[in-house]
Amino acid sequence: LITPYCMLSNTAATAASEFENPERNLPRAIPLAIGIVMAIYVGVVTITMLINPTGVLKSTEPVILASAFTNRWVKGLIVLGALLSMFGINVAASFSTPRIFDALSEKGMMPAVISRKNSRGVPVVAFVCTAAVAILIPMAFGYSMRGIMVISSVSRFLQFLVVPVAVIVFFLGRAKMPVHKAHRNVVTDVVVPAIGLAASIFLMVKFDWNGQFSTAGGGHNWFAIWAMLIGYVILPLVLYIPWKLGA
């Protein structure tokens, strides 16, 4: 529960500018969304484990929960549900990711054209960049679900580490930039992020790094390795160093 809190907080906070009265509504939306998602997720997993735990644990299918059922119509319905959920993730990303590009552009870390908006205030160029990344990454991995899941897993780990630290820094009043005045709570702003940070570190230690960055034949998954190096080392340095020197 703690780790998804970090991720949902990150996603919701990125799109906070789209909220009406975010200081009031955002703190209410995060626990409400977590409660609804957790109730559905735990309920579905519990039912499938009660029906056919062996099929779920030994499954090799992309949609593992579908392995609990033998009826092809039921399995098809579950796979369809998984597909629809992916569209939901894409919709969420269509709000948050362009805002990240927009913010980087406004800070001078990316070309100014990326933050260009239309008459309704929509960062169109940032949306195009988001769509291009969403298309090119799966193509680079040959639409391999294994490779894409590696990228997704590692990116989640990094976000789970950064967000709790950022929340604690804001609570302590050590942010280097002005922030909105909001009610601060030591439980939600320090204790919960600290537990989430510890849980994320524990999961990273237990993560099968060697297995995830290897191919089915036992070789190195160079697409995943280079994607990690470019996305999380080279590109951040290329964006940050010139901006820092210019500042």
Side-chain angles (χ1 to χ4, degrees), residues 200-221:
S200 299
I201 294 174
F202 174 78
L203 291 174
M204 289 189 70
V205 172
K206 295 295 184 180
F207 188 70
D208 182 15
W209 295 95
N210 185 53
Q212 292 299 323
F213 283 90
S214 301
T215 61
H220 295 299
N221 188 345

Side-chain angles (χ1 to χ4, degrees), residues 65-119:
L65 295 182
S67 302
F69 303 92
T70 56
N71 187 291
R72 65 188 185 93
W73 292 105
V74 176
K75 294 183 68 171
L77 183 62
I78 294 176
V79 173
L80 178 61
L83 179 62
L84 292 176
S85 72
M86 294 179 188
F87 282 103
I89 295 173
N90 289 336
V91 170
S94 70
F95 280 97
S96 61
T97 308
R99 290 302 178 187
I100 295 174
F101 283 124
D102 184 31
L104 291 173
S105 175
E106 291 183 349
K107 290 291 293 183
M109 293 184 177
M110 299 185 75
V113 67
I114 294 179
S115 60
R116 183 177 300 172
K117 300 176 178 62
N118 62 11
S119 58

Side-chain angles (χ1 to χ4, degrees), residues 76-192:
L77 183 62
I78 294 176
V79 173
L80 178 61
L83 179 62
L84 292 176
S85 72
M86 294 179 188
F87 282 103
I89 295 173
N90 289 336
V91 170
S94 70
F95 280 97
S96 61
T97 308
R99 290 302 178 187
I100 295 174
F101 283 124
D102 184 31
L104 291 173
S105 175
E106 291 183 349
K107 290 291 293 183
M109 293 184 177
M110 299 185 75
V113 67
I114 294 179
S115 60
R116 183 177 300 172
K117 300 176 178 62
N118 62 11
S119 58
R120 297 184 178 182
V122 178
V124 179
V125 179
F127 270 99
V128 173
C129 292
T130 301
V133 172
I135 294 172
L136 292 176
I137 289 180
M139 289 179 63
F141 284 89
Y143 296 98
S144 168
M145 183 62 69
R146 180 184 178 87
I148 296 172
M149 288 177 66
V150 171
I151 297 294
S152 177
S153 299
V154 175
S155 64
R156 294 294 184 269
F157 277 138
L158 294 175
Q159 292 176 26
F160 292 162
L161 294 177
V162 173
V163 173
V165 174
V167 173
I168 295 174
V169 169
F170 287 147
F171 176 84
L172 297 175
R174 297 183 180 179
K176 295 182 179 180
M177 300 179 65
V179 296
H180 292 291
K181 293 183 179 180
H183 174 70
R184 300 182 182 185
N185 186 298
V186 68
V187 175
T188 58
D189 298 345
V190 177
V191 177
V192 173

